[in-house]
Every structure is written in structure tokens, then in C-alpha cells.
Amino acid sequence: MKARFLRFAGVKSRARRASSIGLFLTLFASAAQAQGTPEQRRACTPDVYRLCAGEIPNVRAITACLRRNRASLSEACRSAFGQAGG
């Protein structure tokens, strides 16, 4: 019974994380005051988890975190973030 609950809790946690990052991806462009492409948003998703996970789902805080950590961003995200006007 305990294992079943833990398995369900893990799924619920993953679903919550996925919905949070989905919200970020949906609102990223408006927070950066530009419409980012799906490719641009995909490029930054790993960096958001790596550098700014504590800011999810606050889009403004994520954007500020990415700006603060610009030197640590992946090349793909740095390029995409620059294109989005960040």
C-alpha cells in the first residue's frame, strides 16, 4: 500500500512540475516583452530547471534569474534569450 502511494505521489509531483514549467513556457514571452518561439522556450527549459527551479512558477522571477545567470546559461538559451529581448 505504501509503495502504491509513493508511486502516486511521484506522478503527482512530476505533473505539478510539468504544469509549472508549462506555465513558464506559455508566459515567458510576455514577461520578456517579446513573443518567443517554441524553439526559444525549449532552449531555456533545462536552464530554468538547473538555475532557477526555486522561482517556478513566477515568470518574472524566472526571467530575472535567467538575466542574473546569463554567464551560466547554455549557448542555446543565451542565444534564444537574447533574441527574445532579455
Side-chain angles (χ1 to χ4, degrees), residues 21 24-25 40-53 66 73-74 76-77:
I21 197 64
F24 163 73
L25 292 175
Q40 290 169 325
R41 293 187 300 258
R42 260 193 305 266
C44 289
T45 298
D47 291 333
V48 170
Y49 275 120
R50 182 171 54 90
L51 301 168
C52 308
L66 290 174
L73 296 178
S74 64
C77 183

Side-chain angles (χ1 to χ4, degrees), residues 4 7 11 20 22 36 40-41 50 52 64 66 70-72 83:
R4 188 177 295 165
R7 194 172 16 206
V11 169
S20 295
Q40 290 169 325
R41 293 187 300 258
R50 182 171 54 90
C52 308
L66 290 174
R70 187 176 292 259
S72 300
Q83 291 173 7

Side-chain angles (χ1 to χ4, degrees), residues 4-55:
R4 188 177 295 165
F5 173 76
L6 291 176
R7 194 172 16 206
F8 175 74
V11 169
K12 190 174 181 181
S13 177
R14 282 191 300 261
R16 184 177 297 139
R17 261 186 270 139
S19 66
S20 295
I21 197 64
L23 176 64
F24 163 73
L25 292 175
T26 302
L27 299 175
F28 174 75
S30 64
Q33 298 178 339
Q35 181 65 38
T37 66
E39 292 79 20
Q40 290 169 325
R41 293 187 300 258
R42 260 193 305 266
C44 289
T45 298
D47 291 333
V48 170
Y49 275 120
R50 182 171 54 90
L51 301 168
C52 308
E55 308 298 342

